[in-house]
Amino acid sequence: MSPKPIRKAVFPVAGLGTRFLPATKVVPKELLPVVDRPLIQYAVDEAREAGIEQMIFVTGRGKTGIVEHFDIAFELEQTMSERGKDLSVLEPTRATPGDVIAVRQQVPLGLGHAIWCARAIVGDEPFAIFLPDELMVAREGGSGCMKQMVDAYNEVGGNLISVLEVPMEQVSAYGVIEPGESSGALTEVRGLVEKPPVAEAPSNKIVSGRYILQPEVMRVLENQGKGAGGEIQLTDAMAKMIGTQPFHAVTFDGNRYDCGSKTGFVEATLALALARADMGAEVRKIAQRLLG
Ligand code: UTP
């Protein structure tokens, strides 16, 4: 029997985005553009490619622009139409009525708490989570990260997280898995630890911003105290589910950019601009000139 389909995705977007201040004082981090699309658009496109229908944004103060982005901008469209401008650039921002849902996290108490805020909308079905500041870019002709995860989920069911390998000295900034048996891109997860000291890290495989979780995680989060950094951590809740349900990691075949950090954001902008047919050659020339 194939597992229940993944129809809903939660996008926690209530964080403060302090690393990008002052840019994120008024503009949410998730609306900062990489070339010409805001970060949140890349994540929603990836969700749609994976067959996900309902987009649940966990927003906070000052974040309503994210929901607006997926609404119809009537005056803009009207004016563009009158001027004979092409409206197709707005196509990805169109949502099926009723399929964009916003819930509020009043105080940013941590990623785990943000996910828990979506419990009533998620209900009793498995769901996906996207951290939009992790930009996952498919290989040319390949499928996106969540599509790869959904394909794996259809084989093994249960819970899945996407992972990637980083140099050991970097693991302390991330959630890290204790790996079990591996087969191809799939690795059994035996344990999870948030931001471990290098000497205590069980591997160099870090959790990278995409999850498929069973609804029981909401009940675990319900009773969860604060963890690393004084925040209610999703990693701690997932760690408690290991052993009670299947838990696997999928190593993404593609590129990941950490757009939560400034250098990662610049890297993503450059990489995506260089890959664009309409501007890649020009950007390459600019980069070469700047590098002397
Ligand atoms: P980050 O750790 O990147 O935090 O959160 P942040 O606030 O976005 O950015 P910095 O570190 O201050 O620069 C990871 C994801 O979890 C969400 C964020 O919006 C981001 O998508 N988040 C985090 C919440 O929705 N609520 C929280 O309480 C914490």
Side-chain angles (χ1 to χ4, degrees):
M1 203 178 75
S2 51
K4 272 192 185 176
I6 308 299
R7 302 184 312 125
K8 301 179 179 181
V10 178
F11 301 82
V13 292
L16 298 176
T18 52
R19 283 171 290 172
F20 275 91
L21 285 169
T24 48
K25 185 179 171 192
V26 177
V27 178
K29 176 170 74 174
E30 297 77 13
L31 289 182
L32 297 179
V34 173
V35 186
D36 52 9
R37 267 199 289 171
L39 277 175
I40 191 69
Q41 184 75 62
Y42 290 94
V44 165
D45 291 350
E46 186 189 325
R48 285 181 179 141
E49 184 214 0
I52 292 168
E53 295 157 10
Q54 284 188 4
M55 313 297 164
I56 306 163
F57 299 124
V58 181
T59 70
R61 226 167 344 106
K63 299 277 187 162
T64 40
I66 296 169
V67 181
E68 296 279 324
H69 178 76
F70 294 98
D71 200 356
I72 289 176
F74 180 77
E75 285 178 5
L76 173 70
E77 295 197 12
Q78 177 87 0
T79 311
M80 283 176 71
S81 295
E82 282 166 12
R83 294 184 186 172
K85 293 202 184 291
D86 178 16
L87 290 177
S88 64
V89 284
L90 293 170
E91 207 48 52
T93 71
R94 300 194 197 290
T96 310
D99 275 352
V100 167
I101 299 150
V103 296
R104 201 87 167 177
Q105 184 192 30
Q106 286 83 355
V107 184
L109 296 177
L111 175 58
H113 182 262
I115 300 305
W116 178 76
C117 288
R119 66 198 179 284
I121 315 293
V122 166
D124 195 26
E125 53 181 294
F127 64 104
I129 300 172
F130 291 74
L131 306 195
D133 57 0
E134 303 232 12
L135 179 48
M136 311 297 262
V137 180
R139 290 199 192 291
E140 180 88 41
S143 46
C145 183
M146 187 51 72
K147 174 79 171 72
Q148 290 178 23
M149 291 175 72
V150 167
D151 289 346
Y153 168 80
N154 289 334
E155 302 280 319
V156 295
N159 303 273
L160 288 106
I161 49 182
S162 83
V163 290
L164 60 104
E165 291 182 19
V166 296
M168 205 63 198
E169 61 271 19
Q170 290 177 15
V171 293
S172 304
Y174 302 98
V176 179
I177 70 160
E178 183 190 333
E181 309 227 324
S182 277
S183 154
L186 211 60
T187 304
E188 185 196 340
V189 179
R190 296 220 170 122
L192 274 167
V193 45
E194 185 65 35
K195 300 190 174 64
V198 173
E200 290 166 29
S203 75
N204 66 340
K205 286 183 194 283
I206 61 156
V207 181
S208 64
R210 301 290 182 272
Y211 313 73
I212 291 175
L213 297 179
Q214 297 298 315
E216 287 76 20
V217 73
M218 295 298 189
R219 287 192 273 286
V220 180
L221 284 166
E222 176 104 34
N223 302 306
Q224 173 130 332
K226 290 177 180 166
E231 297 196 335
I232 297 174
Q233 296 285 356
L234 181 62
T235 306
D236 296 344
M238 293 190 301
K240 288 191 191 126
M241 291 168 71
I242 296 168
T244 65
Q245 292 184 346
F247 223 112
H248 291 90
V250 178
T251 304
F252 173 46
D253 179 26
N255 289 312
R256 170 259 192 186
Y257 302 98
D258 178 8
C259 291
S261 85
K262 288 176 212 179
T263 46
F265 200 98
V266 173
E267 182 190 8
T269 304
L270 197 53
L272 269 64
L274 285 169
R276 286 265 294 247
D278 60 341
M279 63 167 82
E282 204 182 330
V283 173
R284 188 170 307 274
K285 274 194 213 141
I286 293 169
Q288 280 163 346
R289 177 164 51 76
L290 290 174
L291 289 169

